[in-house]
Structure formats: C-alpha cells, structure tokens
Amino acid sequence: IMAESETESLPVRKITVRRKNLQRVGDMSYERYTVLFPYRSFGIDELNNFSISFIANRITPESRVRLIGYTDVLGDVAYNLQLSAERARTVAELLSVDPDNSRGAGENSELFNNDLPEGRFYSRTVEVYIETPLEAEPKD
C-alpha cells in the first residue's frame, strides 16, 4: 500500500552558537560561555585558547563579567573548592577581568551527572557571564 500526503513548507529558524549564547532583555545583552579544564588542573590548554580569544572579543569596557568555577565530585571537598576558585581566577586573568568578579563553587553545584565520566568532564568548567548594554555591544 502506497500512501501520499501533501507537502508543506515549515519555517526553520537557524540558531548559531553565538545566538545560542546571547540573550537580549531590555537594553542589555546577556552572554554565557563555558571554558573546560583537564582533571585536577587550572591551566589553560591549547583547545581553550580559541575560546578565551573569542570570549575576550565579546567584552567591552561597559561589560560586567562574572566567572564561576566548578569541579567534578572526585577528591576532597576543600581541595575542589580551591581548584574551582583557581580556575575562575585563571580565566579572569586571561580575559583581563578583575579577579574579584570570579569565585569558585567547587563541587557544590553539580552541573552534570557525576556518575558518568562525561558528566565529570563537563563539570570541570568555568562559566563566564557577560552583561553588556546594547549600545556598547561588540560588532561581529
């Protein structure tokens, strides 16, 4: 049995990575980026250099930037809190952002399921939040 149906065009909205990270509310734009880290490290590797450069270009003198570091649940709680703070400070330094705008959350905020290796990998991050007045937003 062969069945036929009418064809219909559906509107498709293309969402770029930039648009996914950017939200405009009122006269402000809000962006969120993630920088990943190797296990038990707060050093930036070659893969993160591109991300750091991209994020740095999104920051203007009028931007307010907040950084929050995280770890997976492996290891000592106090060590993880310190490591997460070091990760946030490292990114702040590379972005030329005041380190007072960075903090570590350690393993206290489980971003992903840490029962899986992939979840632990994605928990080793620094989240970068950028708030910029629309008139001062960087041009692409």
Side-chain angles (χ1 to χ4, degrees), residues 31-94:
E31 298 178 69
R32 178 179 158 256
Y33 299 97
T34 301
V35 179
L36 296 170
F37 286 83
Y39 177 67
R40 294 184 70 129
S41 172
F42 59 88
I44 296 292
D45 61 15
E46 197 61 38
L47 292 174
N48 282 322
N49 284 337
F50 176 79
S51 296
I52 295 292
S53 295
F54 180 85
I55 296 167
N57 287 328
R58 300 300 309 153
I59 298 171
T60 71
E62 293 82 12
S63 297
R64 289 190 330 199
V65 182
R66 243 178 350 113
L67 302 100
I68 305 172
Y70 299 93
T71 64
D72 58 30
V73 297
L74 301 178
D76 180 69
V77 173
Y79 173 83
N80 284 343
L81 187 58
Q82 179 64 33
L83 178 59
S84 67
E86 290 292 338
R87 286 175 174 167
R89 271 193 294 278
T90 296
V91 175
E93 213 173 88
L94 292 169

